[in-house]
Amino acid sequence: IVVTPLTEYERAYSVTLRPQTQLISSVNKLSGNRAVFTFRSILTENDSMKKTLALAAKFARYEGNILIQGESGSGKEVLAQAIHNASRNADGPFVVVNCASIPRELFEMELFGYEASAFPGRAAEGKPGRFELADNGTLFLDEIESMSIQVQTGLLTFLDDGMFYNMGSTTEQKSSVRIVCATNESAEKLMKEKRLRLDFYNRIAGSVIRIPPLRERPQDIIDMAMHFLEKQQRSGEFTEETLDYLSKQEWKGNTRELLKC
């Protein structure tokens, strides 16, 4: 806010409100809020995975929200980035929220941001929330099974019309953002256990994509292992015994576990 005296004698002031566009742009740049993976980044020879990718590419062209289901380490964020880069929002930011890593009492503050001086001890100039940062882009909500019912309830209005308030503000704002959610558990199980609201699910699951686990894609295990070996510029090759061993493992951690080997 810039306050400018009109004259030396007058006590009236002209108040100019400057949008936070520059601040948000700077935060996105510093935070690296962008997607680097595309559908070409995802290696597969598996028919089920190919169908998953084809479906995801189809959904990417639409504007509805998407729910990705898959086991831990199966590449849900990679797929979300590919969807973003194939969408009309590709030039916009890609903002990630790991729902499991944010304390429940701070969740709404992180999503909606807060006004200047709204909370003593926090940034005096206020802080833009994730919805503002992701405007004209994609907001990826990972591990939504960790999101409380209270937070889900608070998000319903935004999911309906894209309108929200910064905490401590009485001014309504709008964010044009696509929501892509991900969960390690089935939505049916979460709803049965009353950890996922039906109305919240209906709003985030305009389209649903399931990533098959790595153990159901034995050829992909071999191809990925060889790709990682080549990428790390290591000399040598896998023996037949090693490849056979790799293809028969359960890989409960999926691609992330394979990458660490």
Side-chain angles (χ1 to χ4, degrees):
I1 300 178
V2 180
V3 182
T4 309
L6 294 179
T7 70
E8 182 180 354
Y9 305 102
E10 293 175 316
R11 295 183 180 274
Y13 289 86
S14 169
V15 179
T16 304
L17 299 178
R18 290 181 175 173
Q20 295 191 67
T21 305
Q22 186 173 358
L23 171 61
I24 291 173
S25 177
S26 298
V27 172
N28 279 333
K29 185 176 181 180
L30 292 172
S31 302
N33 290 334
R34 63 189 184 93
V36 297
F37 294 105
T38 68
F39 284 110
R40 290 185 177 181
S41 306
I42 303 174
L43 305 175
T44 186
E45 292 297 330
N46 179 265
D47 289 340
S48 294
M49 189 61 180
K50 286 181 178 180
K51 290 179 181 178
T52 294
L53 296 179
L55 191 63
K58 177 182 177 181
F59 291 157
R61 298 194 294 269
Y62 306 140
E63 295 184 351
N65 298 327
I66 295 174
L67 175 64
I68 303 174
Q69 295 180 315
E71 295 179 2
S72 178
S74 59
K76 296 184 291 294
E77 183 178 340
V78 172
L79 184 60
Q81 289 193 27
I83 290 171
H84 171 81
N85 280 324
S87 74
R88 64 177 62 186
N89 293 344
D91 292 333
F94 179 85
V95 178
V96 178
V97 176
N98 187 313
C99 301
S101 67
I102 301 175
R104 293 189 176 189
E105 64 273 15
L106 301 179
F107 207 98
E108 292 185 72
M109 185 185 297
E110 285 292 325
L111 290 181
F112 299 116
Y114 56 89
E115 286 293 285
S117 303
F119 298 96
R122 296 195 174 272
E125 69 275 15
K127 179 182 177 181
R130 306 298 178 92
F131 287 126
E132 288 178 88
L133 295 176
D135 190 27
N136 295 314
T138 299
L139 181 66
F140 178 58
L141 298 175
D142 196 12
E143 298 191 50
I144 59 165
E145 64 270 14
S146 301
M147 188 184 295
S148 70
I149 292 295
Q150 180 182 358
V151 171
Q152 293 176 35
T153 302
L155 289 177
L156 290 176
T157 299
F158 177 81
L159 291 170
D160 279 336
D161 56 21
M163 307 300 295
F164 69 98
Y165 292 89
N166 288 133
M167 298 185 72
S169 173
T170 57
T171 303
E172 194 174 35
Q173 298 189 60
K174 183 175 180 63
S175 178
S176 177
V177 58
R178 180 189 220 168
I179 307 293
V180 178
C181 295
T183 177
N184 298 332
E185 304 180 45
S186 74
E188 293 75 14
K189 177 177 180 287
L190 293 173
M191 286 188 283
K192 184 177 181 179
E193 296 175 353
K194 300 188 183 304
R195 295 161 58 199
L196 181 66
R197 289 181 58 127
L198 176 61
D199 48 4
F200 181 73
Y201 170 78
N202 287 335
R203 287 166 175 80
I204 63 173
S207 302
V208 179
I209 302 170
R210 175 185 175 272
I211 300 179
L214 192 56
R215 62 181 172 275
E216 295 179 4
R217 299 148 44 199
Q219 184 56 47
D220 284 354
I221 296 172
I222 304 304
D223 291 344
M224 286 183 185
M226 297 181 71
H227 173 75
F228 294 150
L229 183 69
E230 180 181 342
K231 190 174 181 180
Q232 293 174 9
Q233 297 181 335
R234 293 183 181 178
S235 59
E237 297 181 355
F238 291 114
T239 64
E240 289 296 327
E241 291 78 8
T242 299
L243 294 176
D244 183 61
Y245 171 82
L246 291 175
S247 65
K248 291 180 178 178
Q249 297 307 298
E250 290 191 22
W251 299 112
K252 293 182 178 179
N254 291 284
T255 305
R256 185 183 298 127
E257 181 183 354
L258 178 61
L259 182 59
K260 290 180 179 179
C261 288

